[in-house]
Amino acid sequence: MELNDLTRMSGEWLRGTGPESDIVMSSRIRLARNLAQFPFLNRADDSVRADIERVLHREVSQLALRGEITYLDVNSLEGVDRQFLVERQLISRELADSHGSRGVGITSEENVSLMVNEEDHLRIQVLRSGLDLDACWEEINRIDDLLEQHVTYAFSERLGYLTACPTNVGTGIRVSVLLHLPALVITKEIQKVFQALQKISLAVRGLYGEGSQAMGDFYQISNQVTLGKTEEALIRNLKDVIPSIISYERKVRQTLVKENRQRLHDQVSRAYGILKTAQTISSEETMHLLSSVRMGVNLGLIDDLPIPTVNELFIHTQPAHLQKLRKAHLESAERNVARASYLRQRLAAANGSDRN
Amino acid sequence: MELNDLTRMSGEWLRGTGPESDIVMSSRIRLARNLAQFPFLNRADDSVRADIERVLHREVSQLALRGEITYLDVNSLEGVDRQFLVERQLISRELADSHGSRGVGITSEENVSLMVNEEDHLRIQVLRSGLDLDACWEEINRIDDLLEQHVTYAFSERLGYLTACPTNVGTGIRVSVLLHLPALVITKEIQKVFQALQKISLAVRGLYGEGSQAMGDFYQISNQVTLGKTEEALIRNLKDVIPSIISYERKVRQTLVKENRQRLHDQVSRAYGILKTAQTISSEETMHLLSSVRMGVNLGLIDDLPIPTVNELFIHTQPAHLQKLRKAHLESAERNVARASYLRQRLAAANGSDRN
């Protein structure tokens, strides 16, 4: 598999088939690991970085996982390709934007990515469609064990895994769930969710990680604490709170349907109509409209569009994806035209005729 | 023909087949006439009004015109039916809203309407699709002559035809052309047109006559002077100015296409998309969006929608039309839902599949 093959495919996590997938887009766990024999990256010069990359490139490539692993030398990728991997949730913006020797190993189903020389020497990530943190944990734990048979991690008996940034010390784990919460946004109830989550030390971010806006009403909820608790306890902590957010969103959706079905149906249906007919459209408006459409499909207000298509469109209409699809560098205005064209084509293909 | 038959049909003037019909919706001439043997209506009591109505009902019904004449007793019509006739341009709002004996004769093609006991005893109106004032004049002149064989009009050798309001004295003629000027509205050039028309004593009104807003970018341009010139001169006066407004609108449309085709196409296409998918929509928004769509069809930006359908939708989505179609009294919110439903159905029927 090469990077360009990815443009024709979609990650398993977009399939929208997992548990609670009307609201939970995906579950994700990542582990931060460092090799004991090397200094942390903020203390490593270019040649040390290269050495770390060489070791981990080999170890990552040799991992016996379900599905072939493709290793990409991120340093030699063009900007648009790095951005493409960020949009696809396969690498972090930090890995894309940093410099020097670095890479990523990706499985063919895009469930597993192993980033080399991000903030830590190694970042292991497992993604799943829907709410499935147990499966994520099972798989990432296995990968972590497999690697530990060949490398020695920086580890302290007292603190646990040592990491470049103290906020990751201990388990080095970040457990996160990407939720689609349009009804809580419409009714502004989302603020209450934020406040409740802060009190129990859970972080909320937008679709593309730290600092990113919650475009398309997607919220990524994750642990902030990594130290002093077991991985299982931290996962349980998140698992305990997610069901109440899900049922809150569902309750508000039902209230919206019950109290103002016509208006909601109108909003959803118009959003669909605009996506099917616009000739130029920004990424932001696309996310906003797709969010309405996604809720509409899940509420049965749109019946001719599969959820995986909607999920895919969120990702495939991002700037780098559009440029990979068109095999050309596109300026913002050109992307808006290409995005509209792509949406019309995909949505026309999804539904043979106009049934709404 | 009965009034309810009209709901299944459309006036000839909506066919959009006449000259310059990309911009000129319709041409209209009306003549104000009074019977010499009766006082003007502002001096007539109920029994005199009834006498006038009786005489003119008979004369109007016996007219030998192309197409059968249906005479409707407006006084006995329900409010929604009177409103329906106003929306259809077959009677004036004044005739709908006044009281006592009054009526209207309508030909089957809806080109001719003869209002009895509006402001004057008789108002003859001839409508044509596109720019065709000569045909209007030829027909209305013939009708006027036919009637004059049986009745004696109030006429002064010095002043001409005498009318209830001095503004109509002389020829009693109002010549008007209904123009669709969306590009001049978008670019705000329309103000220049208004100023130029005022200087040459031409009046500008919205789609539904005096005091009505220019909904859907429709402007009705008509003479204000009725005295001291022949009918032919007054018609020529209007005919002389219309071509320059038409070419102005066309020029601005072409400039919009040339300088920002994408944006215009986007606006037009989204308008179409919303009309095809909205679940609730006001009359005002409908007119606004249909205006974009109408321009889009005429500029070739929409290729699967016939102009007569667009023209019809402007009229058929009006409040009384919707209620007649649904055979029910509908409150404003219910009409918005019925309007959206009607639009979806008509636009889905107009184009088999989603080709834009």
PDB file of all heavy atoms in Angstrom, chain A residues 337-348:
ATOM      1  N   VAL A 337     -14.666  25.266  -5.012  1.00  0.00           N
ATOM      2  CA  VAL A 337     -15.360  24.795  -6.217  1.00  0.00           C
ATOM      3  C   VAL A 337     -15.227  23.274  -6.341  1.00  0.00           C
ATOM      4  O   VAL A 337     -16.202  22.568  -6.616  1.00  0.00           O
ATOM      5  CB  VAL A 337     -14.802  25.509  -7.471  1.00  0.00           C
ATOM      6  CG1 VAL A 337     -15.376  24.900  -8.743  1.00  0.00           C
ATOM      7  CG2 VAL A 337     -15.108  27.010  -7.406  1.00  0.00           C
ATOM      8  N   ALA A 338     -14.015  22.778  -6.109  1.00  0.00           N
ATOM      9  CA  ALA A 338     -13.780  21.330  -6.192  1.00  0.00           C
ATOM     10  C   ALA A 338     -14.597  20.589  -5.131  1.00  0.00           C
ATOM     11  O   ALA A 338     -15.137  19.510  -5.376  1.00  0.00           O
ATOM     12  CB  ALA A 338     -12.292  21.036  -6.009  1.00  0.00           C
ATOM     13  N   ARG A 339     -14.693  21.181  -3.950  1.00  0.00           N
ATOM     14  CA  ARG A 339     -15.451  20.572  -2.851  1.00  0.00           C
ATOM     15  C   ARG A 339     -16.933  20.458  -3.220  1.00  0.00           C
ATOM     16  O   ARG A 339     -17.554  19.413  -3.036  1.00  0.00           O
ATOM     17  CB  ARG A 339     -15.290  21.423  -1.581  1.00  0.00           C
ATOM     18  CG  ARG A 339     -15.990  20.859  -0.352  1.00  0.00           C
ATOM     19  CD  ARG A 339     -15.725  21.726   0.868  1.00  0.00           C
ATOM     20  NE  ARG A 339     -14.327  21.676   1.255  1.00  0.00           N
ATOM     21  CZ  ARG A 339     -13.462  22.688   1.176  1.00  0.00           C
ATOM     22  NH1 ARG A 339     -13.871  23.872   0.737  1.00  0.00           N
ATOM     23  NH2 ARG A 339     -12.208  22.536   1.544  1.00  0.00           N
ATOM     24  N   ALA A 340     -17.476  21.545  -3.773  1.00  0.00           N
ATOM     25  CA  ALA A 340     -18.892  21.538  -4.164  1.00  0.00           C
ATOM     26  C   ALA A 340     -19.131  20.482  -5.242  1.00  0.00           C
ATOM     27  O   ALA A 340     -20.118  19.734  -5.198  1.00  0.00           O
ATOM     28  CB  ALA A 340     -19.302  22.925  -4.655  1.00  0.00           C
ATOM     29  N   SER A 341     -18.234  20.423  -6.190  1.00  0.00           N
ATOM     30  CA  SER A 341     -18.357  19.463  -7.279  1.00  0.00           C
ATOM     31  C   SER A 341     -18.297  18.022  -6.744  1.00  0.00           C
ATOM     32  O   SER A 341     -19.094  17.162  -7.135  1.00  0.00           O
ATOM     33  CB  SER A 341     -17.234  19.727  -8.287  1.00  0.00           C
ATOM     34  OG  SER A 341     -17.099  18.651  -9.172  1.00  0.00           O
ATOM     35  N   TYR A 342     -17.348  17.783  -5.842  1.00  0.00           N
ATOM     36  CA  TYR A 342     -17.207  16.453  -5.246  1.00  0.00           C
ATOM     37  C   TYR A 342     -18.468  16.072  -4.455  1.00  0.00           C
ATOM     38  O   TYR A 342     -18.974  14.948  -4.565  1.00  0.00           O
ATOM     39  CB  TYR A 342     -15.975  16.434  -4.338  1.00  0.00           C
ATOM     40  CG  TYR A 342     -15.732  15.117  -3.648  1.00  0.00           C
ATOM     41  CD1 TYR A 342     -15.321  13.996  -4.371  1.00  0.00           C
ATOM     42  CD2 TYR A 342     -15.938  14.981  -2.277  1.00  0.00           C
ATOM     43  CE1 TYR A 342     -15.108  12.780  -3.745  1.00  0.00           C
ATOM     44  CE2 TYR A 342     -15.717  13.772  -1.639  1.00  0.00           C
ATOM     45  CZ  TYR A 342     -15.306  12.669  -2.376  1.00  0.00           C
ATOM     46  OH  TYR A 342     -15.111  11.469  -1.753  1.00  0.00           O
ATOM     47  N   LEU A 343     -18.987  17.006  -3.688  1.00  0.00           N
ATOM     48  CA  LEU A 343     -20.206  16.746  -2.909  1.00  0.00           C
ATOM     49  C   LEU A 343     -21.386  16.421  -3.830  1.00  0.00           C
ATOM     50  O   LEU A 343     -22.128  15.461  -3.588  1.00  0.00           O
ATOM     51  CB  LEU A 343     -20.556  17.958  -2.039  1.00  0.00           C
ATOM     52  CG  LEU A 343     -19.716  18.147  -0.771  1.00  0.00           C
ATOM     53  CD1 LEU A 343     -19.861  19.566  -0.228  1.00  0.00           C
ATOM     54  CD2 LEU A 343     -20.122  17.121   0.295  1.00  0.00           C
ATOM     55  N   ARG A 344     -21.556  17.187  -4.885  1.00  0.00           N
ATOM     56  CA  ARG A 344     -22.667  16.938  -5.804  1.00  0.00           C
ATOM     57  C   ARG A 344     -22.558  15.539  -6.397  1.00  0.00           C
ATOM     58  O   ARG A 344     -23.539  14.799  -6.469  1.00  0.00           O
ATOM     59  CB  ARG A 344     -22.701  17.977  -6.929  1.00  0.00           C
ATOM     60  CG  ARG A 344     -23.065  19.380  -6.473  1.00  0.00           C
ATOM     61  CD  ARG A 344     -23.537  20.268  -7.637  1.00  0.00           C
ATOM     62  NE  ARG A 344     -22.608  20.287  -8.756  1.00  0.00           N
ATOM     63  CZ  ARG A 344     -21.507  21.031  -8.814  1.00  0.00           C
ATOM     64  NH1 ARG A 344     -21.195  21.840  -7.822  1.00  0.00           N
ATOM     65  NH2 ARG A 344     -20.731  20.990  -9.874  1.00  0.00           N
ATOM     66  N   GLN A 345     -21.323  15.212  -6.806  1.00  0.00           N
ATOM     67  CA  GLN A 345     -21.104  13.911  -7.440  1.00  0.00           C
ATOM     68  C   GLN A 345     -21.357  12.760  -6.450  1.00  0.00           C
ATOM     69  O   GLN A 345     -22.078  11.815  -6.764  1.00  0.00           O
ATOM     70  CB  GLN A 345     -19.665  13.887  -7.960  1.00  0.00           C
ATOM     71  CG  GLN A 345     -19.184  12.567  -8.506  1.00  0.00           C
ATOM     72  CD  GLN A 345     -17.721  12.331  -8.117  1.00  0.00           C
ATOM     73  OE1 GLN A 345     -16.896  13.235  -8.203  1.00  0.00           O
ATOM     74  NE2 GLN A 345     -17.413  11.123  -7.681  1.00  0.00           N
ATOM     75  N   ARG A 346     -20.812  12.874  -5.248  1.00  0.00           N
ATOM     76  CA  ARG A 346     -20.990  11.814  -4.254  1.00  0.00           C
ATOM     77  C   ARG A 346     -22.453  11.677  -3.838  1.00  0.00           C
ATOM     78  O   ARG A 346     -22.955  10.567  -3.657  1.00  0.00           O
ATOM     79  CB  ARG A 346     -20.131  12.077  -3.005  1.00  0.00           C
ATOM     80  CG  ARG A 346     -18.638  11.843  -3.202  1.00  0.00           C
ATOM     81  CD  ARG A 346     -18.269  10.378  -3.434  1.00  0.00           C
ATOM     82  NE  ARG A 346     -18.723   9.465  -2.429  1.00  0.00           N
ATOM     83  CZ  ARG A 346     -18.031   9.071  -1.370  1.00  0.00           C
ATOM     84  NH1 ARG A 346     -16.813   9.534  -1.187  1.00  0.00           N
ATOM     85  NH2 ARG A 346     -18.534   8.207  -0.501  1.00  0.00           N
ATOM     86  N   LEU A 347     -23.126  12.798  -3.642  1.00  0.00           N
ATOM     87  CA  LEU A 347     -24.514  12.746  -3.169  1.00  0.00           C
ATOM     88  C   LEU A 347     -25.470  12.330  -4.284  1.00  0.00           C
ATOM     89  O   LEU A 347     -26.498  11.720  -4.024  1.00  0.00           O
ATOM     90  CB  LEU A 347     -24.919  14.081  -2.541  1.00  0.00           C
ATOM     91  CG  LEU A 347     -24.144  14.411  -1.250  1.00  0.00           C
ATOM     92  CD1 LEU A 347     -24.462  15.819  -0.778  1.00  0.00           C
ATOM     93  CD2 LEU A 347     -24.450  13.398  -0.143  1.00  0.00           C
ATOM     94  N   ALA A 348     -25.123  12.634  -5.521  1.00  0.00           N
ATOM     95  CA  ALA A 348     -25.942  12.161  -6.640  1.00  0.00           C
ATOM     96  C   ALA A 348     -25.777  10.652  -6.790  1.00  0.00           C
ATOM     97  O   ALA A 348     -26.733   9.932  -7.073  1.00  0.00           O
ATOM     98  CB  ALA A 348     -25.542  12.870  -7.932  1.00  0.00           C
TER      99      ALA A 348
END
